[in-house]
Amino acid sequence: MPKPTSASSKKGKKEVPQKPDPGPSNAAAPEPPRWPPFKGLPPLDHPQLETVLSHQILTISRFFPSSLCNTYVQFLSNLPLTTTPSKPKRGEAVRVNDRFQVQDPTFAKRLWLDTGLKETLEREDSRELLWKTDELAAGVKAWGLNPNIRIYRYTKGQFFDKHFDDSNTITVGSPPSPHRTIYTLLLYLTGPTDGVVGGETAFYRNEPYIPLSKKELKELAASGQPQTISVQPEKGMALLHRHGDECLLHEGKEVLAGVKWIIRSDLVLEV
Ligand SMILES: O=C(O)CCC(=O)C(=O)O
Ligand SMILES: [Fe+2]
């Protein structure tokens, strides 16, 4: 499937949508930290999946209660975060933020099982929001979350430029076997209530990974639906967006005030 070769930048210049920078490759893999317990989680039946854009962008408000977000932000502040180089490698998106990355299957499992995420996504009403008709017909099933846990901190002036998230094939499960990632998971730990201004995750519908025909683009424009979907980071909210071949061009907009914190993983398919 061809990737689009250009997209409009803020300044109206043509630029090539980039892949996200995979992060430092030569850094020694850190040990999983002793993540704080998930205290004060709402009852397992609470998390409600809501659609921002059908089968593309979904959110769960108050996935983490405010107090747990605060505990995590305090804990994460003590991790050895590294500022990404402002000059990315060729073909990688400009991303200016502080980051920590760790392979932690145990934490990924806790996030999947102990938060009620698994139950929520497996409910029939959620399945219809998450999966397309053909996927439902094929009996699609999520396996869990990617053990590749990424922490992002954006302070004033930091951002993650326009890019597409790749789908990755990772070896997980027992016995270990290849599984594909399908949705990016972003968990916002801070929001406007912490003084965060800006830092929206913005998606561009008119520049999808799979190019639309002129007719489809016209229809989209005529539908009156917004072409840009801007999601304001909300403290404790989880966001899922489809990635890989069907990823929408997106960016983490510049933070104008406050500190935006994110825990990132991916939803992994059963087969
Ligand atoms: O920080 C954001 O809002 C977006 C993060 C993102 O696009 C990514 O992790 O790939
Ligand atoms: Fe992304």
PDB file of all heavy atoms in Angstrom, residues 232-265:
ATOM      1  N   GLN A 232      -8.022  16.872  23.218  1.00  0.00           N
ATOM      2  CA  GLN A 232      -7.379  17.566  24.332  1.00  0.00           C
ATOM      3  C   GLN A 232      -6.946  16.530  25.371  1.00  0.00           C
ATOM      4  O   GLN A 232      -7.764  15.699  25.786  1.00  0.00           O
ATOM      5  CB  GLN A 232      -8.416  18.522  24.948  1.00  0.00           C
ATOM      6  CG  GLN A 232      -7.985  19.241  26.193  1.00  0.00           C
ATOM      7  CD  GLN A 232      -6.977  20.346  25.883  1.00  0.00           C
ATOM      8  OE1 GLN A 232      -7.235  21.201  25.049  1.00  0.00           O
ATOM      9  NE2 GLN A 232      -5.843  20.299  26.551  1.00  0.00           N
ATOM     10  N   PRO A 233      -5.669  16.528  25.785  1.00  0.00           N
ATOM     11  CA  PRO A 233      -5.287  15.583  26.832  1.00  0.00           C
ATOM     12  C   PRO A 233      -6.180  15.798  28.051  1.00  0.00           C
ATOM     13  O   PRO A 233      -6.397  16.939  28.448  1.00  0.00           O
ATOM     14  CB  PRO A 233      -3.847  15.964  27.176  1.00  0.00           C
ATOM     15  CG  PRO A 233      -3.364  16.798  26.057  1.00  0.00           C
ATOM     16  CD  PRO A 233      -4.574  17.426  25.416  1.00  0.00           C
ATOM     17  N   GLU A 234      -6.751  14.726  28.550  1.00  0.00           N
ATOM     18  CA  GLU A 234      -7.617  14.826  29.735  1.00  0.00           C
ATOM     19  C   GLU A 234      -7.014  13.919  30.790  1.00  0.00           C
ATOM     20  O   GLU A 234      -6.698  12.758  30.503  1.00  0.00           O
ATOM     21  CB  GLU A 234      -9.013  14.345  29.323  1.00  0.00           C
ATOM     22  CG  GLU A 234     -10.067  14.423  30.391  1.00  0.00           C
ATOM     23  CD  GLU A 234     -11.325  13.674  29.947  1.00  0.00           C
ATOM     24  OE1 GLU A 234     -11.920  14.036  28.908  1.00  0.00           O
ATOM     25  OE2 GLU A 234     -11.691  12.702  30.639  1.00  0.00           O
ATOM     26  N   LYS A 235      -6.834  14.446  31.963  1.00  0.00           N
ATOM     27  CA  LYS A 235      -6.183  13.684  33.043  1.00  0.00           C
ATOM     28  C   LYS A 235      -6.878  12.327  33.234  1.00  0.00           C
ATOM     29  O   LYS A 235      -8.089  12.284  33.452  1.00  0.00           O
ATOM     30  CB  LYS A 235      -6.269  14.511  34.320  1.00  0.00           C
ATOM     31  CG  LYS A 235      -5.389  14.026  35.449  1.00  0.00           C
ATOM     32  CD  LYS A 235      -5.586  14.946  36.648  1.00  0.00           C
ATOM     33  CE  LYS A 235      -4.714  14.553  37.809  1.00  0.00           C
ATOM     34  NZ  LYS A 235      -3.448  15.242  37.826  1.00  0.00           N
ATOM     35  N   GLY A 236      -6.111  11.254  33.132  1.00  0.00           N
ATOM     36  CA  GLY A 236      -6.652   9.923  33.381  1.00  0.00           C
ATOM     37  C   GLY A 236      -7.344   9.275  32.196  1.00  0.00           C
ATOM     38  O   GLY A 236      -7.822   8.146  32.296  1.00  0.00           O
ATOM     39  N   MET A 237      -7.393   9.975  31.058  1.00  0.00           N
ATOM     40  CA  MET A 237      -8.101   9.407  29.893  1.00  0.00           C
ATOM     41  C   MET A 237      -7.178   8.503  29.074  1.00  0.00           C
ATOM     42  O   MET A 237      -6.001   8.808  28.870  1.00  0.00           O
ATOM     43  CB  MET A 237      -8.609  10.545  28.993  1.00  0.00           C
ATOM     44  CG  MET A 237      -9.360  10.050  27.769  1.00  0.00           C
ATOM     45  SD  MET A 237     -10.110  11.409  26.851  1.00  0.00           S
ATOM     46  CE  MET A 237      -8.694  12.029  25.948  1.00  0.00           C
ATOM     47  N   ALA A 238      -7.740   7.374  28.633  1.00  0.00           N
ATOM     48  CA  ALA A 238      -7.008   6.497  27.723  1.00  0.00           C
ATOM     49  C   ALA A 238      -7.535   6.749  26.317  1.00  0.00           C
ATOM     50  O   ALA A 238      -8.736   6.969  26.128  1.00  0.00           O
ATOM     51  CB  ALA A 238      -7.229   5.041  28.112  1.00  0.00           C
ATOM     52  N   LEU A 239      -6.647   6.755  25.344  1.00  0.00           N
ATOM     53  CA  LEU A 239      -7.042   6.922  23.948  1.00  0.00           C
ATOM     54  C   LEU A 239      -6.454   5.773  23.147  1.00  0.00           C
ATOM     55  O   LEU A 239      -5.286   5.415  23.316  1.00  0.00           O
ATOM     56  CB  LEU A 239      -6.539   8.265  23.418  1.00  0.00           C
ATOM     57  CG  LEU A 239      -6.845   8.587  21.945  1.00  0.00           C
ATOM     58  CD1 LEU A 239      -7.118  10.086  21.775  1.00  0.00           C
ATOM     59  CD2 LEU A 239      -5.723   8.176  21.003  1.00  0.00           C
ATOM     60  N   LEU A 240      -7.290   5.200  22.312  1.00  0.00           N
ATOM     61  CA  LEU A 240      -6.819   4.154  21.392  1.00  0.00           C
ATOM     62  C   LEU A 240      -6.974   4.688  19.978  1.00  0.00           C
ATOM     63  O   LEU A 240      -8.035   5.226  19.642  1.00  0.00           O
ATOM     64  CB  LEU A 240      -7.678   2.897  21.541  1.00  0.00           C
ATOM     65  CG  LEU A 240      -7.461   2.053  22.795  1.00  0.00           C
ATOM     66  CD1 LEU A 240      -8.654   1.135  23.043  1.00  0.00           C
ATOM     67  CD2 LEU A 240      -6.178   1.219  22.665  1.00  0.00           C
ATOM     68  N   HIS A 241      -5.927   4.585  19.172  1.00  0.00           N
ATOM     69  CA  HIS A 241      -6.128   4.923  17.749  1.00  0.00           C
ATOM     70  C   HIS A 241      -5.454   3.875  16.873  1.00  0.00           C
ATOM     71  O   HIS A 241      -4.386   3.362  17.195  1.00  0.00           O
ATOM     72  CB  HIS A 241      -5.686   6.357  17.412  1.00  0.00           C
ATOM     73  CG  HIS A 241      -4.204   6.568  17.302  1.00  0.00           C
ATOM     74  ND1 HIS A 241      -3.493   6.317  16.150  1.00  0.00           N
ATOM     75  CD2 HIS A 241      -3.305   7.008  18.208  1.00  0.00           C
ATOM     76  CE1 HIS A 241      -2.219   6.603  16.346  1.00  0.00           C
ATOM     77  NE2 HIS A 241      -2.076   7.015  17.584  1.00  0.00           N
ATOM     78  N   ARG A 242      -6.143   3.572  15.806  1.00  0.00           N
ATOM     79  CA  ARG A 242      -5.700   2.505  14.924  1.00  0.00           C
ATOM     80  C   ARG A 242      -4.372   2.887  14.278  1.00  0.00           C
ATOM     81  O   ARG A 242      -4.180   4.038  13.892  1.00  0.00           O
ATOM     82  CB  ARG A 242      -6.747   2.269  13.833  1.00  0.00           C
ATOM     83  CG  ARG A 242      -6.764   0.856  13.316  1.00  0.00           C
ATOM     84  CD  ARG A 242      -7.912   0.707  12.352  1.00  0.00           C
ATOM     85  NE  ARG A 242      -9.063   0.080  12.966  1.00  0.00           N
ATOM     86  CZ  ARG A 242      -9.308  -1.228  12.899  1.00  0.00           C
ATOM     87  NH1 ARG A 242      -8.464  -2.033  12.275  1.00  0.00           N
ATOM     88  NH2 ARG A 242     -10.386  -1.730  13.458  1.00  0.00           N
ATOM     89  N   HIS A 243      -3.458   1.947  14.182  1.00  0.00           N
ATOM     90  CA  HIS A 243      -2.191   2.278  13.531  1.00  0.00           C
ATOM     91  C   HIS A 243      -1.843   1.270  12.440  1.00  0.00           C
ATOM     92  O   HIS A 243      -2.678   0.467  12.049  1.00  0.00           O
ATOM     93  CB  HIS A 243      -1.079   2.509  14.573  1.00  0.00           C
ATOM     94  CG  HIS A 243      -0.628   1.312  15.355  1.00  0.00           C
ATOM     95  ND1 HIS A 243      -0.105   1.431  16.625  1.00  0.00           N
ATOM     96  CD2 HIS A 243      -0.601  -0.010  15.061  1.00  0.00           C
ATOM     97  CE1 HIS A 243       0.243   0.231  17.048  1.00  0.00           C
ATOM     98  NE2 HIS A 243      -0.056  -0.653  16.128  1.00  0.00           N
ATOM     99  N   GLY A 244      -0.640   1.380  11.897  1.00  0.00           N
ATOM    100  CA  GLY A 244      -0.271   0.519  10.769  1.00  0.00           C
ATOM    101  C   GLY A 244      -0.865   1.062   9.481  1.00  0.00           C
ATOM    102  O   GLY A 244      -0.970   2.273   9.303  1.00  0.00           O
ATOM    103  N   ASP A 245      -1.315   0.164   8.616  1.00  0.00           N
ATOM    104  CA  ASP A 245      -1.810   0.568   7.292  1.00  0.00           C
ATOM    105  C   ASP A 245      -2.945   1.583   7.361  1.00  0.00           C
ATOM    106  O   ASP A 245      -3.150   2.340   6.426  1.00  0.00           O
ATOM    107  CB  ASP A 245      -2.327  -0.659   6.525  1.00  0.00           C
ATOM    108  CG  ASP A 245      -1.184  -1.449   5.923  1.00  0.00           C
ATOM    109  OD1 ASP A 245      -0.037  -0.956   5.983  1.00  0.00           O
ATOM    110  OD2 ASP A 245      -1.440  -2.557   5.402  1.00  0.00           O
ATOM    111  N   GLU A 246      -3.728   1.560   8.442  1.00  0.00           N
ATOM    112  CA  GLU A 246      -4.887   2.449   8.516  1.00  0.00           C
ATOM    113  C   GLU A 246      -4.692   3.602   9.502  1.00  0.00           C
ATOM    114  O   GLU A 246      -5.658   4.214   9.946  1.00  0.00           O
ATOM    115  CB  GLU A 246      -6.132   1.643   8.868  1.00  0.00           C
ATOM    116  CG  GLU A 246      -6.500   0.705   7.737  1.00  0.00           C
ATOM    117  CD  GLU A 246      -7.555  -0.277   8.157  1.00  0.00           C
ATOM    118  OE1 GLU A 246      -8.715   0.122   8.217  1.00  0.00           O
ATOM    119  OE2 GLU A 246      -7.194  -1.427   8.440  1.00  0.00           O
ATOM    120  N   CYS A 247      -3.448   3.869   9.818  1.00  0.00           N
ATOM    121  CA  CYS A 247      -3.169   4.957  10.765  1.00  0.00           C
ATOM    122  C   CYS A 247      -3.473   6.305  10.120  1.00  0.00           C
ATOM    123  O   CYS A 247      -3.154   6.533   8.957  1.00  0.00           O
ATOM    124  CB  CYS A 247      -1.692   4.919  11.165  1.00  0.00           C
ATOM    125  SG  CYS A 247      -1.278   5.994  12.531  1.00  0.00           S
ATOM    126  N   LEU A 248      -4.100   7.193  10.874  1.00  0.00           N
ATOM    127  CA  LEU A 248      -4.289   8.566  10.402  1.00  0.00           C
ATOM    128  C   LEU A 248      -3.017   9.350  10.722  1.00  0.00           C
ATOM    129  O   LEU A 248      -2.382   9.109  11.757  1.00  0.00           O
ATOM    130  CB  LEU A 248      -5.463   9.231  11.124  1.00  0.00           C
ATOM    131  CG  LEU A 248      -6.857   8.677  10.867  1.00  0.00           C
ATOM    132  CD1 LEU A 248      -7.876   9.390  11.756  1.00  0.00           C
ATOM    133  CD2 LEU A 248      -7.258   8.826   9.404  1.00  0.00           C
ATOM    134  N   LEU A 249      -2.713  10.279   9.830  1.00  0.00           N
ATOM    135  CA  LEU A 249      -1.613  11.193  10.120  1.00  0.00           C
ATOM    136  C   LEU A 249      -1.964  11.914  11.429  1.00  0.00           C
ATOM    137  O   LEU A 249      -3.108  12.322  11.609  1.00  0.00           O
ATOM    138  CB  LEU A 249      -1.501  12.210   8.975  1.00  0.00           C
ATOM    139  CG  LEU A 249      -0.333  13.187   9.051  1.00  0.00           C
ATOM    140  CD1 LEU A 249       0.999  12.455   8.886  1.00  0.00           C
ATOM    141  CD2 LEU A 249      -0.471  14.257   7.972  1.00  0.00           C
ATOM    142  N   HIS A 250      -1.008  12.019  12.339  1.00  0.00           N
ATOM    143  CA  HIS A 250      -1.320  12.674  13.615  1.00  0.00           C
ATOM    144  C   HIS A 250      -0.080  13.311  14.226  1.00  0.00           C
ATOM    145  O   HIS A 250       1.046  13.056  13.775  1.00  0.00           O
ATOM    146  CB  HIS A 250      -1.950  11.667  14.594  1.00  0.00           C
ATOM    147  CG  HIS A 250      -1.048  10.543  14.969  1.00  0.00           C
ATOM    148  ND1 HIS A 250      -0.796   9.468  14.154  1.00  0.00           N
ATOM    149  CD2 HIS A 250      -0.309  10.320  16.100  1.00  0.00           C
ATOM    150  CE1 HIS A 250       0.033   8.637  14.746  1.00  0.00           C
ATOM    151  NE2 HIS A 250       0.354   9.129  15.924  1.00  0.00           N
ATOM    152  N   GLU A 251      -0.318  14.117  15.229  1.00  0.00           N
ATOM    153  CA  GLU A 251       0.804  14.770  15.913  1.00  0.00           C
ATOM    154  C   GLU A 251       0.437  15.054  17.373  1.00  0.00           C
ATOM    155  O   GLU A 251      -0.750  15.104  17.716  1.00  0.00           O
ATOM    156  CB  GLU A 251       1.189  16.086  15.232  1.00  0.00           C
ATOM    157  CG  GLU A 251       0.120  17.162  15.291  1.00  0.00           C
ATOM    158  CD  GLU A 251       0.510  18.450  14.591  1.00  0.00           C
ATOM    159  OE1 GLU A 251       1.682  18.842  14.661  1.00  0.00           O
ATOM    160  OE2 GLU A 251      -0.383  19.071  13.980  1.00  0.00           O
ATOM    161  N   GLY A 252       1.442  15.218  18.179  1.00  0.00           N
ATOM    162  CA  GLY A 252       1.255  15.719  19.538  1.00  0.00           C
ATOM    163  C   GLY A 252       1.634  17.187  19.468  1.00  0.00           C
ATOM    164  O   GLY A 252       2.805  17.524  19.279  1.00  0.00           O
ATOM    165  N   LYS A 253       0.633  18.068  19.573  1.00  0.00           N
ATOM    166  CA  LYS A 253       0.910  19.489  19.358  1.00  0.00           C
ATOM    167  C   LYS A 253       1.756  20.085  20.482  1.00  0.00           C
ATOM    168  O   LYS A 253       1.840  19.514  21.571  1.00  0.00           O
ATOM    169  CB  LYS A 253      -0.405  20.252  19.212  1.00  0.00           C
ATOM    170  CG  LYS A 253      -1.158  19.811  17.955  1.00  0.00           C
ATOM    171  CD  LYS A 253      -2.272  20.724  17.632  1.00  0.00           C
ATOM    172  CE  LYS A 253      -1.950  21.413  16.330  1.00  0.00           C
ATOM    173  NZ  LYS A 253      -3.049  22.241  15.849  1.00  0.00           N
ATOM    174  N   GLU A 254       2.353  21.193  20.161  1.00  0.00           N
ATOM    175  CA  GLU A 254       3.256  21.840  21.115  1.00  0.00           C
ATOM    176  C   GLU A 254       2.548  22.140  22.445  1.00  0.00           C
ATOM    177  O   GLU A 254       1.409  22.602  22.457  1.00  0.00           O
ATOM    178  CB  GLU A 254       3.766  23.152  20.497  1.00  0.00           C
ATOM    179  CG  GLU A 254       4.762  23.860  21.369  1.00  0.00           C
ATOM    180  CD  GLU A 254       5.265  25.157  20.734  1.00  0.00           C
ATOM    181  OE1 GLU A 254       5.201  25.315  19.499  1.00  0.00           O
ATOM    182  OE2 GLU A 254       5.706  26.019  21.515  1.00  0.00           O
ATOM    183  N   VAL A 255       3.223  21.839  23.513  1.00  0.00           N
ATOM    184  CA  VAL A 255       2.699  22.182  24.834  1.00  0.00           C
ATOM    185  C   VAL A 255       3.039  23.656  25.088  1.00  0.00           C
ATOM    186  O   VAL A 255       4.192  24.061  24.958  1.00  0.00           O
ATOM    187  CB  VAL A 255       3.296  21.243  25.909  1.00  0.00           C
ATOM    188  CG1 VAL A 255       3.004  21.755  27.308  1.00  0.00           C
ATOM    189  CG2 VAL A 255       2.739  19.835  25.736  1.00  0.00           C
ATOM    190  N   LEU A 256       2.024  24.438  25.414  1.00  0.00           N
ATOM    191  CA  LEU A 256       2.224  25.885  25.584  1.00  0.00           C
ATOM    192  C   LEU A 256       2.442  26.252  27.043  1.00  0.00           C
ATOM    193  O   LEU A 256       3.065  27.257  27.359  1.00  0.00           O
ATOM    194  CB  LEU A 256       1.013  26.646  25.015  1.00  0.00           C
ATOM    195  CG  LEU A 256       0.692  26.323  23.541  1.00  0.00           C
ATOM    196  CD1 LEU A 256      -0.598  26.977  23.107  1.00  0.00           C
ATOM    197  CD2 LEU A 256       1.849  26.758  22.635  1.00  0.00           C
ATOM    198  N   ALA A 257       1.894  25.431  27.934  1.00  0.00           N
ATOM    199  CA  ALA A 257       2.107  25.643  29.374  1.00  0.00           C
ATOM    200  C   ALA A 257       1.825  24.326  30.089  1.00  0.00           C
ATOM    201  O   ALA A 257       1.078  23.482  29.583  1.00  0.00           O
ATOM    202  CB  ALA A 257       1.173  26.725  29.904  1.00  0.00           C
ATOM    203  N   GLY A 258       2.427  24.162  31.256  1.00  0.00           N
ATOM    204  CA  GLY A 258       2.216  22.942  32.036  1.00  0.00           C
ATOM    205  C   GLY A 258       3.072  21.796  31.510  1.00  0.00           C
ATOM    206  O   GLY A 258       3.911  21.975  30.619  1.00  0.00           O
ATOM    207  N   VAL A 259       2.860  20.611  32.049  1.00  0.00           N
ATOM    208  CA  VAL A 259       3.634  19.427  31.660  1.00  0.00           C
ATOM    209  C   VAL A 259       2.668  18.307  31.278  1.00  0.00           C
ATOM    210  O   VAL A 259       1.809  17.914  32.074  1.00  0.00           O
ATOM    211  CB  VAL A 259       4.562  18.954  32.810  1.00  0.00           C
ATOM    212  CG1 VAL A 259       5.434  17.794  32.350  1.00  0.00           C
ATOM    213  CG2 VAL A 259       5.431  20.100  33.313  1.00  0.00           C
ATOM    214  N   LYS A 260       2.799  17.831  30.049  1.00  0.00           N
ATOM    215  CA  LYS A 260       1.954  16.738  29.560  1.00  0.00           C
ATOM    216  C   LYS A 260       2.698  15.425  29.771  1.00  0.00           C
ATOM    217  O   LYS A 260       3.836  15.284  29.328  1.00  0.00           O
ATOM    218  CB  LYS A 260       1.673  16.975  28.072  1.00  0.00           C
ATOM    219  CG  LYS A 260       0.970  15.848  27.338  1.00  0.00           C
ATOM    220  CD  LYS A 260       0.821  16.223  25.853  1.00  0.00           C
ATOM    221  CE  LYS A 260       0.457  15.057  24.972  1.00  0.00           C
ATOM    222  NZ  LYS A 260       0.561  15.387  23.532  1.00  0.00           N
ATOM    223  N   TRP A 261       2.039  14.497  30.451  1.00  0.00           N
ATOM    224  CA  TRP A 261       2.641  13.176  30.691  1.00  0.00           C
ATOM    225  C   TRP A 261       1.781  12.108  30.021  1.00  0.00           C
ATOM    226  O   TRP A 261       0.551  12.156  30.119  1.00  0.00           O
ATOM    227  CB  TRP A 261       2.664  12.865  32.192  1.00  0.00           C
ATOM    228  CG  TRP A 261       3.771  13.501  32.963  1.00  0.00           C
ATOM    229  CD1 TRP A 261       3.705  14.673  33.654  1.00  0.00           C
ATOM    230  CD2 TRP A 261       5.093  12.981  33.180  1.00  0.00           C
ATOM    231  NE1 TRP A 261       4.893  14.921  34.289  1.00  0.00           N
ATOM    232  CE2 TRP A 261       5.763  13.900  34.009  1.00  0.00           C
ATOM    233  CE3 TRP A 261       5.778  11.839  32.742  1.00  0.00           C
ATOM    234  CZ2 TRP A 261       7.092  13.713  34.419  1.00  0.00           C
ATOM    235  CZ3 TRP A 261       7.088  11.648  33.152  1.00  0.00           C
ATOM    236  CH2 TRP A 261       7.731  12.575  33.986  1.00  0.00           C
ATOM    237  N   ILE A 262       2.438  11.143  29.404  1.00  0.00           N
ATOM    238  CA  ILE A 262       1.726  10.046  28.726  1.00  0.00           C
ATOM    239  C   ILE A 262       2.393   8.717  29.037  1.00  0.00           C
ATOM    240  O   ILE A 262       3.626   8.632  29.083  1.00  0.00           O
ATOM    241  CB  ILE A 262       1.755  10.268  27.189  1.00  0.00           C
ATOM    242  CG1 ILE A 262       0.719  11.306  26.769  1.00  0.00           C
ATOM    243  CG2 ILE A 262       1.518   8.967  26.428  1.00  0.00           C
ATOM    244  CD1 ILE A 262       0.567  11.453  25.281  1.00  0.00           C
ATOM    245  N   ILE A 263       1.567   7.690  29.236  1.00  0.00           N
ATOM    246  CA  ILE A 263       2.080   6.312  29.197  1.00  0.00           C
ATOM    247  C   ILE A 263       1.599   5.743  27.879  1.00  0.00           C
ATOM    248  O   ILE A 263       0.412   5.825  27.548  1.00  0.00           O
ATOM    249  CB  ILE A 263       1.542   5.453  30.357  1.00  0.00           C
ATOM    250  CG1 ILE A 263       1.968   6.043  31.706  1.00  0.00           C
ATOM    251  CG2 ILE A 263       2.028   4.000  30.222  1.00  0.00           C
ATOM    252  CD1 ILE A 263       1.470   5.249  32.929  1.00  0.00           C
ATOM    253  N   ARG A 264       2.513   5.189  27.080  1.00  0.00           N
ATOM    254  CA  ARG A 264       2.146   4.658  25.756  1.00  0.00           C
ATOM    255  C   ARG A 264       2.432   3.162  25.686  1.00  0.00           C
ATOM    256  O   ARG A 264       3.472   2.676  26.103  1.00  0.00           O
ATOM    257  CB  ARG A 264       2.954   5.410  24.673  1.00  0.00           C
ATOM    258  CG  ARG A 264       3.231   4.603  23.423  1.00  0.00           C
ATOM    259  CD  ARG A 264       2.545   5.092  22.185  1.00  0.00           C
ATOM    260  NE  ARG A 264       2.499   4.035  21.190  1.00  0.00           N
ATOM    261  CZ  ARG A 264       3.023   4.089  19.983  1.00  0.00           C
ATOM    262  NH1 ARG A 264       3.652   5.172  19.600  1.00  0.00           N
ATOM    263  NH2 ARG A 264       2.903   3.068  19.150  1.00  0.00           N
ATOM    264  N   SER A 265       1.466   2.446  25.121  1.00  0.00           N
ATOM    265  CA  SER A 265       1.668   1.050  24.746  1.00  0.00           C
ATOM    266  C   SER A 265       0.851   0.823  23.471  1.00  0.00           C
ATOM    267  O   SER A 265       0.477   1.791  22.792  1.00  0.00           O
ATOM    268  CB  SER A 265       1.236   0.112  25.879  1.00  0.00           C
ATOM    269  OG  SER A 265       1.414  -1.235  25.497  1.00  0.00           O
TER     270      SER A 265
END
